[in-house]
Amino acid sequence: MYAAAQARETPDKPAIVMGTSGETLTFAQYEAAANRVAHLLRGLGLRRGDHVALLFENTLPYFEIQGGAERCGLYYTCINSHLGADEVAYIVGDCEARVFLTSAAKLDVAAAALEQCPRVEAAFVVGGPASGRFASYEEAVSGLPGEPIADEELGTPMLYSSGTTGRPKGILRPLPETPPAEQLPVLEFVKQVLLLLREDMTYLSPAPAYHSAPQAAVASALRLGATSVVMERFDPEQFLQLVERYRITHTQMVPTMFTRLLKLPPDVRARYDVSSLKVAVHAAAPCPVPVKQAMIDWWGPVLHEYYGATEANGFTVNTSEEWLAHPGTVGRAVLGEVVILDDDGKELPSGEAGTVYFRGATNFSYFNDADKTAGAMDSTGTASTVGDMGYLDEDGWLFLTDRKSFMIISGGVNIYPQEAENLLVTHPSVYDVAVIGVPDEDLGEVPKAIVQPAEDATPGPELERELLAFCRESLSTMKCPRTVDFVDELPRLPTGKLYKRYLRDAYWAGHGTSIV
């Protein structure tokens, strides 16, 4: 692993710096800690292809443990730290984890989850004393060698889909017989083509590391011997402070972070020097055109976008210059071929929206779920989808319309709520917004906007009328919300993904619907 070489050559170089606390892990410390974890896991009898589960907030030991699992041929499952005990228990059990590790901050949830997971053989808590079935991590690794285990093998994450539309799914890729110094080809592709990472960068990670994109980025930075600054949680002004303080060159974000930054007061935005930024990658959701345009105006043409999924079944990319020539695109294919299919599996011509499939990219399967794996494939078994809707223009640029499961069918007309969401979030009185379909006796369902108001906005009938009129100025009536409800906060993950099914459940309770 390059981190091992970095530990020998520049042992005191920071590998990871925590954004708020400033706590730092050097490459020498990271290398020794990861090796101790590998010795611990081997000593517990874990061998190539076994599974471990991790429930952590962003914290230094989290990365040590991932590094240790990667050195002994294991699948390690990083669990969303915002889940409840039953949801955590489902993932721990489903991934067949033999070992479960958590932090003191997450111990209560982890302990409740572990009660439902009898197959877990050992459990450890980091940063706290032993408790119940959880032994002390610090005591367990104390005295173990800081040198590599004798039989190093490459391990890799087996992450779960976000579960925003249903039960999360474990995404499994075959483990090659290769040493940890090498990397899965798809991760090498992510590092070089999607994230444009390089050895001399300083990388800022503003997102939770249980998610595939930030997890892969920090892991790749460690392999390159580059320093990563990791935010404990995203705060827009602190993000700018960290860019200036550490002269950040590379970062990876989601569109909701752009929105938060743009809603800072102009004097706050102008206070910080962001000229060191060379690459700001964004993904996870389509970015509203006015938002991305404003970010390019502010930061310059440093924005690079990719579209893909944790399944890594295909990817598209675009640069700022390419996006400016094709506003709203999520790029052209660089891994796999994009095909747009209708509900009958027929390929659609350019300009017509359907389900986005990739053909000829990487192989994946959903862990222990052949039916879900088969359900992601087309009738030929050569193309796969994660359920997004979109269309290709005549030059092969992909434009997304929404998730298929979020589509609203009103009076037989298909409505993609993303269009109204992208418009409403640009209104100065809107901090965040979701548009969903709600029951309607006449049309089956109609669009409703659920708005988290900006701090200086007053929710109520007047603001509702203003927002509805704002929509009608730019969109046809059928695409506009009929009503607006106001909430204190939307159920959005730190990754930017919105739990729309939680919003929909509140309105569809007691109604029959085929919409998932």
Side-chain angles (χ1 to χ4, degrees):
M1 301 179 75
Y2 194 90
Q6 193 73 44
R8 291 191 299 269
E9 295 169 10
T10 56
D12 296 329
K13 179 179 179 179
I16 300 176
V17 180
M18 298 306 296
T20 299
S21 69
E23 189 179 2
T24 299
L25 190 70
T26 68
F27 273 95
Q29 292 168 332
Y30 169 77
E31 177 69 12
N35 285 329
R36 284 191 288 270
V37 172
H39 280 282
L40 171 66
L41 296 173
R42 272 291 187 266
L44 292 168
L46 274 68
R47 295 293 180 264
R48 182 177 185 271
D50 284 337
H51 295 250
V52 298
L54 318 177
L55 179 66
F56 285 84
E57 71 278 22
N58 283 2
T59 181
L60 291 180
Y62 188 28
F63 299 100
E64 302 170 2
I65 294 166
Q66 290 181 37
E70 190 174 83
R71 293 162 191 240
C72 46
L74 303 182
Y75 285 110
Y76 54 98
T77 294
C78 305
I79 301 174
N80 180 342
S81 60
H82 297 271
L83 296 181
D86 290 346
E87 296 167 307
V88 171
Y90 164 76
I91 293 175
V92 173
D94 188 72
C95 77
E96 300 180 357
R98 293 182 60 188
V99 177
F100 183 25
L101 300 101
T102 192
S103 67
K106 300 297 175 183
L107 181 58
D108 288 347
V109 171
L114 191 57
E115 292 179 2
Q116 306 175 48
C117 303
R119 296 175 63 181
V120 172
E121 300 167 21
F124 298 92
V125 58
V126 177
S131 176
R133 290 177 62 189
F134 286 87
S136 165
Y137 166 80
E138 286 79 8
E139 291 181 9
V141 297
S142 177
L144 293 178
E147 292 73 41
I149 58 175
D151 58 341
E152 281 195 320
E153 297 178 89
L154 177 66
T156 190
M158 189 187 86
L159 304 181
Y160 276 67
S161 62
S162 60
T164 52
T165 60
R167 278 282 203 182
K169 302 175 287 289
I171 299 156
L172 183 74
R173 295 187 192 87
L175 281 177
E177 294 186 8
T178 185
E182 300 177 19
Q183 199 167 215
L184 287 177
V186 68
L187 295 181
E188 192 66 27
F189 170 84
V190 167
K191 178 182 74 178
Q192 295 183 357
V193 179
L194 299 189
L195 304 184
L196 305 172
L197 305 182
R198 63 191 195 208
E199 183 179 344
D200 62 348
M201 71 177 180
T202 302
Y203 179 77
L204 176 58
S205 182
Y210 61 73
H211 192 259
S212 58
Q215 189 280 328
V218 174
S220 296
L222 287 166
R223 283 178 171 272
L224 285 167
T227 298
S228 295
V229 179
V230 177
M231 299 182 73
E232 287 87 343
R233 57 179 295 276
F234 178 73
D235 175 85
E237 185 171 359
Q238 187 192 35
F239 177 91
L240 299 177
Q241 291 170 343
L242 293 172
V243 170
E244 180 179 85
R245 178 179 176 183
Y246 292 101
R247 305 304 296 157
I248 298 298
T249 61
H250 287 60
T251 189
Q252 184 177 196
M253 309 178 72
V254 296
T256 52
M257 294 176 181
F258 291 157
T259 302
R260 305 293 191 263
L261 286 164
L262 291 168
K263 289 187 181 293
L264 288 171
D267 62 315
V268 174
R269 288 172 49 192
R271 189 178 301 158
Y272 301 99
D273 179 6
V274 296
S275 62
S276 61
L277 280 172
K278 305 300 181 189
V279 175
V281 177
H282 72 95
C287 188
V289 170
V291 171
K292 186 161 181 175
Q293 181 67 64
M295 290 302 300
I296 294 173
D297 292 343
W298 179 10
W299 287 359
V302 301
L303 270 65
H304 296 255
E305 180 176 7
Y306 72 87
Y307 162 68
T310 304
E311 286 84 345
N313 61 325
F315 290 98
T316 67
V317 299
N318 68 74
T319 65
S320 290
E321 292 82 0
E322 290 169 333
W323 184 88
L324 288 168
H326 306 272
T329 184
V330 294
R332 280 198 292 201
V334 292
L335 180 66
E337 174 196 4
V338 177
V339 289
I340 308 297
L341 305 182
D342 65 16
D343 290 342
D344 296 322
K346 179 183 176 182
E347 189 166 345
L348 294 170
S350 60
E352 288 194 32
T355 303
V356 179
Y357 282 78
F358 281 97
R359 179 181 293 141
T362 60
N363 294 322
F364 75 93
S365 62
Y366 292 120
F367 187 58
N368 286 343
D369 200 325
D371 289 342
K372 284 183 179 177
T373 303
M377 307 300 294
D378 72 345
S379 59
T380 68
T382 62
S384 61
T385 183
V386 295
D388 289 328
M389 304 287 289
Y391 65 91
L392 291 168
D393 72 7
E394 293 182 353
D395 297 318
W397 296 95
L398 177 63
F399 295 77
L400 297 183
T401 52
D402 218 322
R403 291 301 297 265
K404 189 171 185 178
S405 55
F406 294 160
M407 186 173 68
I408 301 166
I409 304 175
S410 185
V413 176
N414 294 345
I415 299 170
Y416 300 107
Q418 178 185 302
E419 214 172 343
E421 291 168 349
N422 287 351
L423 175 64
L424 283 167
V425 79
T426 66
H427 192 284
S429 295
V430 175
Y431 187 75
D432 200 1
V433 60
V435 175
I436 64 171
V438 297
D440 182 84
E441 289 186 5
D442 181 34
L443 299 174
E445 60 177 337
V446 294
K448 173 186 280 288
I450 303 174
V451 169
Q452 179 180 341
E455 284 189 11
D456 57 352
T458 303
E462 185 175 343
L463 181 56
E464 179 182 30
R465 287 191 292 271
E466 181 181 340
L467 295 179
L468 296 178
F470 179 71
C471 266
R472 289 192 290 269
E473 289 173 5
S474 301
L475 298 177
S476 64
T477 301
M478 71 174 186
K479 295 179 179 179
C480 293
R482 305 295 196 272
T483 54
V484 179
D485 284 353
F486 297 99
V487 295
D488 293 334
E489 187 175 13
L490 290 175
R492 191 180 290 275
L493 293 174
T495 57
K497 291 185 180 292
L498 186 68
Y499 272 123
K500 273 196 176 178
R501 62 187 173 93
Y502 290 166
L503 295 174
R504 295 166 66 91
D505 285 352
Y507 291 93
W508 285 94
H511 291 79
T513 176
S514 61
I515 299 174
V516 178

